[in-house]
């Protein structure tokens, strides 16, 4: 059995831009956005009960092999942002799409995506299909959210 065309998991976290993340113009440095995505991705993976400790325990690492960010407007010091992570592909890789918005106005600030692939911890070989453990976790999530 494989996951069907029901909705896929998504998660959202809110975060306030701290002073140590901004430059002299009080704009969040572009490199910190990768960390913001990771915060939201971990919340998404928690919803599947397949975050990094569970991945490791199941015998797989899931390195990020591709990342894309497109900045539309800056995030600034003390601004509250909402980072949404949505699983969009799961069969051969994990593709997560992200939207970062101002938490109050919901104005879009940034879009992006990451791609991760399963790598066996025992042989360090990349898998060409997602392992059954991911499929099982996604099926269980879909059953809980039917």
């Amino acid at each position: 059995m494989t996951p069907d065309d029901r909705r896929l998991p998504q998660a959202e976290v809110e975060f306030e831009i701290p002073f140590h993340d901004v430059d002299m113009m009080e704009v969040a440095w572009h490199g910190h956005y990768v960390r913001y995505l990771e915060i939201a991705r971990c919340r998404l993976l928690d919803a599947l009960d397949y975050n990094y400790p569970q991945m490791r325990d199941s015998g797989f690492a899931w390195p990020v092999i591709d990342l894309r960010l497109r900045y539309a407007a800056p995030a600034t010091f003390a601004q509250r942002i909402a980072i949404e992570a949505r699983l969009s592909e799961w069969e051969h890789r994990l593709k997560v799409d992200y939207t970062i918005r101002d938490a109050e106005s919901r104005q879009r600030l940034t879009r992006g995506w990451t791609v991760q692939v399963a790598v066996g911890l025992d042989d360090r070989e990349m898998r060409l299909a997602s392992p059954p453990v991911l499929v099982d976790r996604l099926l269980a999530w879909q059953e809980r959210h039917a």
Side-chain angles (χ1 to χ4, degrees):
M1 181 176 238
T2 60
D4 56 28
D5 59 359
R6 289 180 283 184
R7 72 184 179 108
L8 293 173
Q10 64 184 49
E12 184 172 288
V13 296
E14 288 194 13
F15 183 83
E16 186 173 299
I17 303 297
F19 178 74
H20 59 80
D21 278 7
V22 300
D23 61 19
M24 62 186 266
M25 302 298 293
E26 296 189 2
V27 171
W29 177 63
H30 69 278
H32 289 302
Y33 285 74
V34 176
R35 182 168 39 92
Y36 305 158
L37 302 185
E38 182 71 27
I39 292 167
R41 182 169 59 247
C42 283
R43 177 73 55 90
L44 173 66
L45 294 171
D46 281 340
L48 287 173
D49 191 30
Y50 197 58
N51 207 334
Y52 295 107
Q54 293 88 0
M55 290 175 176
R56 180 197 59 233
D57 293 347
S58 72
F60 297 96
W62 287 82
V64 172
I65 63 165
D66 201 359
L67 168 89
R68 166 80 189 246
L69 285 168
R70 183 156 180 93
Y71 304 95
T76 56
F77 173 60
Q79 181 179 19
R80 190 137 193 92
I81 60 172
I83 308 125
E84 181 185 52
R86 297 170 310 283
L87 182 64
S88 61
E89 294 179 32
W90 57 268
E91 292 176 289
H92 303 288
R93 61 190 191 164
L94 282 179
K95 183 175 182 210
V96 180
D97 297 321
Y98 306 89
T99 304
I100 299 177
R101 300 179 186 280
D102 177 85
E104 186 177 325
S105 71
R106 303 303 288 176
Q107 174 194 4
R108 181 175 48 85
L109 306 174
T110 307
R111 280 193 195 150
W113 46 257
T114 56
V115 173
Q116 295 171 257
V117 295
V119 173
L121 291 176
D122 57 346
D123 60 9
R124 301 284 188 210
E125 293 289 324
M126 184 170 57
R127 302 305 193 254
L128 299 177
S130 292
V133 63
L134 173 67
V135 175
D136 292 345
R137 301 291 172 107
L138 186 52
L139 279 167
W141 185 90
Q142 286 187 328
E143 285 301 314
R144 286 191 312 271
H145 295 88

